[in-house]
Amino acid sequence: MTVASSFPTFQVFLAALVAMLITIVLLPLFIRFLHARHIGQQVRADGPQRHLVKQGTPTMGGIIILLSVSITTFLFARPDLPSLLAISATLLTGVLGFVDDVSSVAHARSLGLTPHAKLIGQAAISTLFCLVAVNLCNISPVVTEVFSGRGIDLGVLTTTIPLSDGGIRIPWLYLIFIFLLMAGMSNAVNLTDGLDGLAGGTVMIAMGIMAAIAFRTDQLDMALFAAALAGGCIGFIWFNCYPADIFMGDTGSLALGAALAAIAVMTKTELFSLIIGGIFIIEALSVIIQVVHFKRTRKRVFLMAPLHHHFEKKGWTETKVVIRFWIVTGMFACLGFALFFAHSL
């Protein structure tokens, strides 16, 4: 391999490194800032009792992750429209999470925005994202099947609104699919963010694979963005590993989930992303199963949901749960990439 051909690969790895270093440099300053203003996490009263010591730990560390990722991406790339759209969706969802975090801190409770308010914000972001992607980025509303290689056309119900210089295509089925993907993945990562280092580590692994996928599909700017997200998560874990000095808050978890979905849409790997982010899907399903079963029978399937708390209740240490969830995420990520690679041959 020549130096010229290896340079893009070098850029991707360098982007991850720079994002990691920026995060490591800025987070201590941010932690001191939050301590000085007594801005801390509110812990669930019904959660594991050993989590009560985490009350008041600085939160909203996702701000630094997003800042480092933005600086790194614009430092290494001149983002094209698809990359700018993915970055914008990530940052807008981060703003939604920030409002949620501020509401939680201001009212001194573990819950911020209401679920309806979150869904309305996520619906607005996903709708804007989908319309721009389809109309300006030429993203096809066709979802590729994993095994057969055929496509599921979600653009069959498409309405075109005529304008003076063209029209706006509204593929209704694809619009709904994008909302379910973005809101679902965003909320799933948010649910996973319940133990020190859990969300940061699992997202880091998933983003590393998404960077490889974007690189293989010749979307260097998208690969740089995904690599920067992975690097930012690594830097964050340095301060978020047990016992955590700071939490990412909804600012980080909602944004990271949206970023995973946005990159999947832009690389046309929506279904593969569900495998790569399998641990997030499992965490979300554990909550849904718990709630539905309890409402019907007044009995619980799990000792506590999301799933990571179930294993804590069974006696696993927090670190053991986190490390094992990282391993499972690595398995899902490798499987997703292997299926993608086989499909792309």
Side-chain angles (χ1 to χ4, degrees):
M1 181 180 292
T2 64
V3 174
S5 62
S6 63
F7 184 66
T9 309
F10 172 75
Q11 279 185 298
V12 173
F13 282 104
L14 191 59
L17 176 63
V18 170
M20 178 190 72
L21 293 176
I22 293 175
T23 305
I24 289 176
V25 169
L26 293 182
L27 265 179
L29 303 176
F30 190 59
I31 291 171
R32 286 199 290 271
F33 170 82
L34 294 174
H35 271 304
R37 284 156 181 77
H38 305 288
I39 299 174
Q41 177 71 35
Q42 303 300 314
V43 178
R44 288 175 56 178
D46 61 340
Q49 292 300 301
R50 57 187 174 189
H51 284 202
L52 295 178
V53 298
K54 301 182 181 185
Q55 181 79 16
T57 301
T59 187
M60 292 187 284
I63 293 174
I64 301 302
I65 297 177
L66 297 179
L67 179 61
S68 68
V69 168
S70 299
I71 292 173
T72 302
T73 303
F74 285 97
L75 182 64
F76 283 88
R78 294 180 179 177
D80 52 12
L81 185 56
S83 300
L84 284 173
L85 182 58
I87 295 169
S88 298
T90 301
L91 294 179
L92 285 173
T93 311
V95 170
L96 180 66
F98 176 75
V99 173
D100 189 36
D101 284 333
V102 170
S103 176
S104 176
V105 171
H107 295 92
R109 58 181 186 176
S110 61
L111 300 175
L113 294 176
T114 64
H116 285 132
K118 279 186 186 178
L119 285 176
I120 290 172
Q122 290 168 333
I125 294 169
S126 65
T127 298
L128 181 61
F129 173 83
C130 180
L131 293 180
V132 175
V134 170
N135 288 277
L136 298 181
C137 299
N138 298 317
I139 295 297
S140 171
V142 174
V143 179
T144 305
E145 294 181 32
V146 176
F147 297 105
S148 67
R150 298 176 182 176
I152 304 172
D153 187 358
L154 298 181
V156 288
L157 296 180
T158 299
T159 305
T160 301
I161 300 178
L163 296 174
S164 58
D165 56 348
I168 298 177
R169 295 178 62 212
I170 305 178
W172 293 104
L173 287 179
Y174 193 57
L175 192 67
I176 295 171
F177 175 78
I178 293 299
F179 165 70
L180 293 175
L181 181 65
M182 293 195 73
M185 194 63 76
S186 184
N187 290 322
V189 174
N190 181 240
L191 289 171
T192 306
D193 185 30
L195 299 179
D196 298 351
L198 180 55
T202 50
V203 171
M204 177 267 296
I205 295 169
M207 284 301 175
I209 294 296
M210 295 307 294
I213 288 176
F215 187 82
R216 180 165 174 78
T217 56
D218 296 322
Q219 299 185 58
L220 180 59
D221 289 341
M222 200 70 68
L224 290 169
F225 175 51
L229 285 162
C233 286
I234 295 172
F236 179 75
I237 293 171
W238 184 268
F239 299 94
N240 183 241
C241 60
Y242 183 82
D245 297 315
I246 188 170
F247 301 136
M248 68 170 62
D250 287 4
T251 306
S253 59
L254 291 179
L256 292 174
L260 180 59
I263 295 170
V265 171
M266 290 303 170
T267 56
K268 297 308 299 174
T269 54
E270 297 99 325
L271 296 186
F272 295 107
S273 72
L274 298 179
I275 301 172
I276 294 168
I279 196 70
F280 310 126
I281 306 301
I282 291 173
E283 288 272 61
L285 285 176
S286 71
V287 174
I288 295 172
I289 292 170
Q290 183 88 321
V291 171
V292 172
H293 187 75
F294 185 78
K295 285 184 176 180
R296 294 184 62 181
T297 67
R298 312 308 296 177
K299 296 180 180 179
R300 292 178 171 83
V301 176
F302 307 103
L303 296 177
M304 186 177 177
L307 188 61
H308 55 261
H309 287 318
H310 169 78
F311 290 110
E312 274 196 295
K313 290 282 191 177
K314 287 180 69 69
W316 291 16
T317 64
E318 184 166 344
T319 303
K320 178 177 286 189
V321 176
V322 170
I323 297 299
R324 287 181 173 176
F325 272 51
W326 285 1
I327 293 171
V328 173
T329 301
M331 294 168 62
F332 275 121
C334 289
L335 174 61
F337 184 76
L339 290 173
F340 162 78
F341 188 83
H343 179 268
S344 64
L345 292 178

